[in-house]
């Protein structure tokens, strides 16, 4: 019987040693990567190197470009783009490699830019001329007097008398250039034409002249343009005002008539009661015109509607009798309070306390004086009537 050889089990120690050796082969050594401090030093070195490289490039480019001469202005445009010279900028003149800006411009690096002082002065001169022409044309549009078209030579000569030109000094070139710049700006802003003699003339545009019209002219044009609407509005306002005044006057007359009516009732009632208390010797009636003159103010006597309203209220009152009577030989309308069977008017007096009345003392005094006067007049009238 053959015996089968037994396999020996693998040792755990041998497998662990094999794995550790494999990991040591795959993992990189720690010395391969720089430390944190070394990494920061590397970044610092790179930054310094980049800054030095950029600075050197800038200075090299600057000195190289400035060292190049400018191409002459009279060269062919194709030749001006060569590497041996810089192209001559606009508004500049180049000769023998040097740049010179034309008048009114100043050099700024490789360019020629406008001189701000000259440009501002020319702009102010053009604005002054524009204002003068537009104001004159606005006078023509409003009042029909003034100048419309102005010759170029007249404007050129007027610039010499401007205050801004006095500050230019004795430099004739600057003086002429500034006037020329101002005239160029004026030609762009205003309307131009050539007259019969071939001379240029300038005029303010109509749209621009509207802004130079005085306020009185604008107001007059507005009224004339919308005259119909303004008339209708004014008529409506006047009508409303008249209607308001009439309604107010009517309300005042109504309230004042009621006030006077209450006073008339009080006086008639007191006069009637007083005549009964003196053994029938007094008269119970009162002349209506005397009451009117006694109660109305002087300015109220000029308005007949007020007392007419009072008469209407008295006529509608059944407690008051109205009849004509001969007083001192003249026919008068008298009012008399019906004492028998009539109610007292004290309720009306309380109702009318809220209305503005004359002072009570003045009313009582006037009533007493009126009663004495009526008694005297009645006695005289009776004596005249008796043959």
């Amino acid at each position: 019987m053959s015996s089968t050889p037994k396999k020996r089990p693998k040792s755990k120690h041998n497998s662990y040693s094999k794995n550790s050796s494999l990991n040591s082969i795959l993992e990189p050594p720690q010395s391969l990567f720089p430390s944190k401090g070394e990494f920061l030093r590397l970044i610092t070195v790179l930054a310094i190197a980049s800054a030095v490289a950029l600075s050197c490039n800038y200075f090299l480019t600057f000195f190289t470009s400035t060292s190049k001469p400018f191409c002459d202005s009279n060269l062919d445009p194709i030749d001006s783009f060569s590497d041996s010279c810089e192209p001559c900028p606009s508004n500049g003149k180049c000769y023998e490699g040097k740049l010179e800006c034309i008048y009114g411009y100043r050099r700024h690096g490789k360019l020629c830019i406008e001189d701000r002082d000259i440009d501002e002065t020319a702009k102010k001169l053009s604005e002054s001329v524009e204002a003068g022409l537009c104001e004159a044309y606005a006078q023509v549009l409003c009042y029909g007097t003034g100048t419309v078209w102005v010759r170029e030579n007249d404007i050129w000569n007027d610039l010499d008398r401007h205050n801004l030109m006095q500050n230019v000094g004795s430099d004739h070139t600057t003086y002429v250039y500034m006037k020329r710049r101002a005239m160029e700006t004026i030609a762009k802003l205003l309307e131009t034409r050539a007259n019969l003699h071939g001379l240029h003339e300038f005029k303010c545009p109509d749209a621009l002249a509207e802004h130079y019209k005085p306020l009185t002219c604008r107001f007059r044009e507005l009224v004339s343009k919308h005259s119909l609407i303004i008339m209708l509005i004014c008529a409506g306002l006047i009508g409303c005002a008249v209607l308001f005044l009439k309604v107010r006057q009517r309300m005042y007359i109504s309230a004042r008539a009621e006030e006077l009516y209450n006073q008339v009732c009080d006086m008639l009632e007191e006069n009637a009661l007083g005549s009964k208390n003196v053994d029938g010797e007094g008269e119970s009636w009162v002349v209506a015109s005397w009451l009117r003159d006694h109660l109305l103010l002087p300015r109220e006597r000029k308005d007949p509607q007020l007392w007419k309203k009072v008469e209407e209220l008295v006529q509608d009152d059944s407690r008051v009798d109205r009849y004509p009577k001969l007083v001192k030989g003249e026919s008068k309308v008298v009012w008399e309070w019906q004492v028998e069977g009539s109610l007292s008017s004290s309720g009306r007096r309380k109702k009318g306390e809220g209305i503005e009345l004359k002072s009570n003392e003045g009313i009582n005094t006037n009533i007493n004086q009126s009663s004495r006067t009526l008694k005297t007049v009645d006695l005289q009238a009776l004596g005249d009537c008796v043959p």
Side-chain angles (χ1 to χ4, degrees):
M1 187 174 183
S2 61
S3 63
T4 302
K6 295 181 179 179
K7 293 181 179 181
R8 298 175 62 183
K10 293 181 180 180
S11 168
K12 293 183 180 180
H13 177 71
N14 293 334
S15 61
Y16 177 76
S17 61
K18 290 180 181 180
N19 291 334
S20 59
S21 61
L22 182 62
N23 291 334
S24 61
I25 295 172
L26 294 177
E27 291 181 357
Q30 294 182 354
S31 60
L32 181 63
F33 296 103
S35 63
K36 185 176 181 181
E38 293 176 346
F39 185 73
L40 293 176
R41 284 195 297 271
L42 178 62
I43 292 177
T44 304
V45 171
L46 291 176
I48 293 174
S50 300
V52 171
L54 291 175
S55 300
C56 293
N57 185 31
Y58 174 77
F59 284 110
L60 182 63
T61 304
F62 179 76
F63 287 111
T64 302
S65 61
T66 54
S67 62
K68 281 185 180 182
F70 287 96
C71 302
D72 291 348
S73 301
N74 54 4
L75 288 178
D76 189 28
I78 299 176
D79 298 334
S80 62
F81 289 98
S82 63
D83 297 334
S84 60
C85 62
E86 291 286 345
C88 188
S90 57
N91 302 316
K93 294 181 179 180
C94 300
Y95 181 72
E96 294 182 354
K98 296 181 180 180
L99 171 63
E100 182 180 356
C101 297
I102 62 176
Y103 205 83
Y105 293 83
R106 56 187 177 85
R107 183 172 177 176
H108 183 75
K110 299 179 182 179
L111 303 175
C112 291
I113 62 175
E114 289 184 342
D115 192 336
R116 291 184 179 180
D117 296 336
I118 296 178
D119 186 62
E120 288 294 329
T121 304
K123 184 178 180 181
K124 291 179 180 179
L125 286 173
S126 62
E127 290 176 353
S128 177
V129 173
E130 174 192 330
L133 293 181
C134 290
E135 288 177 359
Y137 186 45
Q139 292 291 327
V140 176
L141 296 177
C142 291
Y143 310 108
T145 59
T147 306
V148 180
W149 291 95
V150 181
R151 292 184 301 177
E152 183 179 10
N153 294 336
D154 296 337
I155 298 176
W156 182 270
N157 296 329
D158 290 339
L159 291 177
D160 295 335
R161 296 186 290 270
H162 202 280
N163 295 330
L164 292 174
M165 299 302 295
Q166 307 300 327
N167 301 327
V168 176
S170 59
D171 189 353
H172 181 71
T173 307
T174 305
Y175 192 86
V176 175
Y177 176 79
M178 195 174 297
K179 291 174 63 176
R180 187 180 297 110
R181 285 292 305 275
M183 292 300 298
E184 292 175 357
T185 307
I186 292 170
K188 296 177 182 178
L189 295 175
L190 305 180
E191 296 180 4
T192 59
R193 73 173 185 182
N195 59 11
L196 298 177
H197 304 285
L199 299 177
H200 287 88
E201 293 181 340
F202 296 96
K203 182 180 82 72
C204 179
D206 295 343
L208 189 60
E210 293 291 332
H211 300 285
Y212 289 89
K213 290 182 178 180
L215 292 178
T216 54
C217 179
R218 295 183 185 182
F219 179 76
R220 189 180 64 180
E221 290 181 351
L222 180 64
V223 171
S224 61
K225 184 178 181 180
H226 305 283
S227 57
L228 181 60
I229 298 176
I230 294 175
M231 290 176 61
L232 293 176
I233 293 175
C234 292
L237 293 176
I238 293 174
C240 293
V242 171
L243 181 62
F244 172 76
L245 292 177
K246 285 185 176 180
V247 172
R248 184 180 179 184
Q249 181 69 12
R250 186 173 299 177
M251 293 176 62
Y252 168 76
I253 291 176
S254 178
R256 179 62 175 158
E258 290 183 4
E259 177 185 352
L260 294 172
Y261 165 70
N262 292 329
Q263 294 182 26
V264 168
C265 291
D266 293 342
M267 294 180 66
L268 292 177
E269 183 180 5
E270 292 181 5
N271 184 63
L273 293 176
S275 64
K276 297 299 181 180
N277 294 334
V278 292
D279 299 332
E281 295 181 359
E283 297 294 341
S284 60
W285 50 265
V286 179
V287 180
S289 59
W290 295 353
L291 279 176
R292 179 195 63 197
D293 297 337
H294 174 71
L295 295 175
L296 293 182
L297 299 174
R299 59 182 176 82
E300 293 177 338
R301 297 172 189 171
K302 299 179 182 180
D303 187 6
Q305 297 295 328
L306 179 58
W307 189 250
K308 186 177 180 181
K309 185 70 174 178
V310 176
E311 290 179 345
E312 293 176 358
L313 294 175
V314 173
Q315 186 177 0
D316 295 338
D317 195 339
S318 61
R319 298 171 300 175
V320 181
D321 285 344
R322 302 170 66 254
Y323 54 90
K325 187 175 181 61
L326 190 65
V327 179
K328 297 183 66 174
E330 296 181 4
S331 178
K332 303 284 186 181
V333 177
V334 297
W335 293 347
E336 183 179 0
W337 184 266
Q338 299 299 319
V339 181
E340 292 83 1
S342 64
L343 299 176
S344 175
S345 63
S346 59
R348 290 186 176 272
R349 286 198 301 272
K350 293 180 180 179
K351 182 178 180 181
E353 287 179 357
I355 306 173
E356 183 179 359
L357 301 173
K358 296 180 179 179
S359 61
N360 294 330
E361 295 179 359
I363 293 175
N364 294 333
T365 303
N366 292 332
I367 291 173
N368 295 333
Q369 292 177 357
S370 178
S371 299
R372 296 192 188 96
T373 304
L374 290 174
K375 291 178 183 179
T376 305
V377 172
D378 292 340
L379 293 175
Q380 292 177 358
L382 289 173
D384 294 336
C385 294
V386 176

